[in-house]
Amino acid sequence: MPIVTQDTALRTAGQPTTTDPASRVRRIVGSAGENGGTGLRELELALARFDAPADLRVRGGLGSGRRTLAAALRTRRGWRPTIDDLDVLAAPARPAGAPPDVEIVCLRTAPCRHEEAWMRRPRAHPLLVVDTGVDRAEPPRWARGLPAVDARRAADGSLDVIVSFVDRALHGLTAVRTARLEAELERLTVHPEVGDLAEAALCALAGRGHA
């Protein structure tokens, strides 16, 4: 059941090493605020989401090794992932929550039907599923093709695949956040108070500073 999508402290989104694609949007919204503009809350929230620290999640059920993996990533790279309970997240009929930026799911036993269905939901962010304790010599059918990791030692070579995955995901995070900001600005162009401002910000974002 292989599942994988697009892999110091976590870098801050919206602050790439070269250019900041949202810089002109900030200037437009900031100038509107200084000139007494009203109804800017939603625009400010959209920018705050763009600038928020990267949201890395390690998810798994009881005994899955999720806390051990999170601790190993913190020791090895200084990352501080949030730990989530897969049994709660994948509960039937539970509404989808806000998506993280990077997601790692730990499995020590075969996932139940609703957990597997939850893991196969379409995502716009990178997801990696790993096994954290099966027999590597004779892995069960459900674990074949999944990266096998042993997080009891942060230096263990099996963690290299996760570190590489997260590095790649963080490298591409600015593009993901920019697409989300563009979608939010597009939605706000019909807002009765800030529609014109959102449209100007959308044009500025599309121009990336060249218009």
Side-chain angles (χ1 to χ4, degrees):
M1 188 201 65
I3 298 179
V4 61
T5 65
Q6 310 261 135
D7 165 60
T8 38
L10 285 175
R11 297 175 224 170
T12 300
Q15 296 179 358
T17 55
T18 51
T19 59
D20 178 357
S23 59
R24 295 190 69 194
V25 176
R26 284 194 200 85
R27 288 199 294 271
I28 289 171
V29 175
S31 177
E34 291 170 2
N35 289 301
T38 60
L40 302 178
R41 179 64 174 162
E42 289 207 59
L43 287 168
E44 292 168 344
L45 286 174
L47 281 171
R49 284 188 285 271
F50 181 90
D51 292 324
D55 183 6
L56 170 60
R57 302 292 177 116
V58 173
R59 295 170 159 171
L62 186 64
S64 65
R66 59 191 178 184
R67 296 184 185 280
T68 303
L69 176 58
L73 293 176
R74 179 175 179 177
T75 298
R76 183 152 167 178
R77 294 297 296 275
W79 295 328
R80 297 171 181 267
T82 300
I83 301 168
D84 291 327
D85 187 340
L86 180 61
D87 297 328
V88 174
L89 291 171
R94 178 183 172 88
D101 294 308
V102 189
E103 185 176 17
I104 301 165
V105 174
C106 301
L107 296 177
R108 192 180 296 270
T109 58
C112 64
R113 186 173 301 175
H114 65 268
E115 289 173 339
E116 184 166 358
W118 178 85
M119 286 186 285
R120 293 190 180 280
R121 286 181 184 174
R123 287 165 166 78
H125 62 271
L127 163 69
L128 177 66
V129 179
V130 299
D131 86 59
T132 54
V134 303
D135 184 345
R136 297 187 188 185
E138 296 184 24
R141 185 171 182 175
W142 65 266
R144 293 172 190 166
L146 294 180
V149 302
D150 184 346
R152 290 173 294 180
R153 291 188 307 110
D156 193 282
S158 66
L159 293 178
D160 292 351
V161 65
I162 295 180
V163 171
S164 296
F165 170 79
V166 175
D167 277 338
R168 291 196 303 271
L170 294 180
H171 182 72
L173 184 54
T174 296
V176 174
R177 291 275 179 98
T178 300
R180 288 177 182 170
L181 178 59
E182 185 174 15
E184 291 193 76
L185 293 175
E186 179 75 34
R187 177 180 61 82
L188 290 172
T189 57
V190 297
H191 191 282
E193 287 188 280
V194 296
D196 290 344
L197 189 62
E199 188 168 355
L202 187 61
C203 291
L205 183 67
R208 303 291 194 273
H210 301 297

